[in-house]
Amino acid sequence: MQRGQEVSSSVLTVPNLISLLRLALVPVFAVLIVSGHDVWALVVLAVSGFTDWLDGVLARRLHQVSKLGEMLDPAADRLFIFVTLAGLAWRGVVPLWVLVVIVARDAVLAVVVVLLGRRGYGPLPVSFVGKAGTFALLYAFPLLLLAEVPGGVGAVAHVVGWAFTWWGVGLYWLAGWQYLGQARRLLGPGTSDGATSGRWETR
């Protein structure tokens, strides 16, 4: 969201409908990846990535930035990351530890959000590191899926996909550490209760 952009409480907006479409694609993608239909799974991921870009652009240009949209967008990102990882781990494409470290980070931050809410604070605002980590992971997993294709294309996708994975995991946890530091300062002694202006985009 651009600085100074007004956030509304509207529900039925064009960007929100697009975000809901992305969420609806999650179970479709899950079935495709588990059943081994990799080409169609990649198509769904491509559509999801396009709609992720499109809903943000339309929200700003149509002045339809909403609180619901700020929740739906990162929720769809997390779901696609989790479903992709779970499917790839189930098929043995990626080791289980990759799934564990990413889910563990989100579980820790979910507890932090609850603690902040009890003190009257909103979710922490998104950081550049958090966005970079999320985008790296969203690029990594389609490449790891493409790496299953035999030949040169698969070999290149394997190397690039794992590079994105390592960077994504590192940035994902670095952002989590930053969020924990912000939460500790807010929840520390002498901090008065009160709602913050943070947006629901912590990634």
Side-chain angles (χ1 to χ4, degrees), residues 22-32 80 83:
R22 287 182 68 211
L23 287 172
L25 288 175
V26 172
V28 176
F29 175 74
V31 172
L32 290 172
F80 264 106
V83 169

Side-chain angles (χ1 to χ4, degrees), residues 29 33-34 77-108 137 141 144 162 165-166 168-169 172-173:
F29 175 74
I33 193 171
V34 169
D77 286 343
R78 283 195 180 94
L79 280 174
F80 264 106
I81 288 175
F82 174 76
V83 169
T84 307
L85 260 180
L88 293 178
W90 184 79
R91 289 173 50 179
V93 177
V94 298
L96 185 61
W97 68 261
V98 179
L99 174 63
V100 172
V101 296
I102 289 178
V103 172
R105 183 269 199 184
D106 282 342
V108 170
L137 291 175
F141 302 138
L144 293 178
W162 272 107
T165 300
W166 281 109
V169 170
Y172 210 61
W173 267 98

Side-chain angles (χ1 to χ4, degrees), residues 28-52:
V28 176
F29 175 74
V31 172
L32 290 172
I33 193 171
V34 169
S35 59
H37 293 86
D38 294 348
V39 174
W40 284 109
L42 286 171
V43 170
V44 171
L45 275 180
V47 172
S48 172
F50 174 73
T51 57
D52 185 21

Side-chain angles (χ1 to χ4, degrees), residues 7-159:
V7 180
S8 72
S9 57
S10 301
V11 174
L12 293 178
T13 66
V14 173
N16 286 352
L17 292 176
I18 294 175
S19 295
L20 288 172
L21 172 62
R22 287 182 68 211
L23 287 172
L25 288 175
V26 172
V28 176
F29 175 74
V31 172
L32 290 172
I33 193 171
V34 169
S35 59
H37 293 86
D38 294 348
V39 174
W40 284 109
L42 286 171
V43 170
V44 171
L45 275 180
V47 172
S48 172
F50 174 73
T51 57
D52 185 21
W53 168 82
L54 183 63
D55 64 7
V57 170
L58 292 178
R60 291 187 292 271
R61 292 188 178 180
L62 300 177
H63 303 288
Q64 292 184 348
V65 176
S66 66
K67 295 178 181 178
L68 177 61
E70 291 180 344
M71 291 189 292
L72 290 177
D73 187 46
D77 286 343
R78 283 195 180 94
L79 280 174
F80 264 106
I81 288 175
F82 174 76
V83 169
T84 307
L85 260 180
L88 293 178
W90 184 79
R91 289 173 50 179
V93 177
V94 298
L96 185 61
W97 68 261
V98 179
L99 174 63
V100 172
V101 296
I102 289 178
V103 172
R105 183 269 199 184
D106 282 342
V108 170
L109 290 188
V111 174
V112 171
V113 169
V114 171
L115 294 175
L116 288 171
R118 289 180 177 178
R119 291 286 297 273
Y121 292 100
L124 297 171
V126 65
S127 71
F128 174 79
V129 175
K131 275 190 173 183
T134 298
F135 284 130
L137 291 175
L138 289 174
Y139 276 109
F141 302 138
L143 287 168
L144 293 178
L145 193 58
L146 186 62
E148 293 296 285
V149 176
V153 173
V156 173
H158 178 82
V159 174

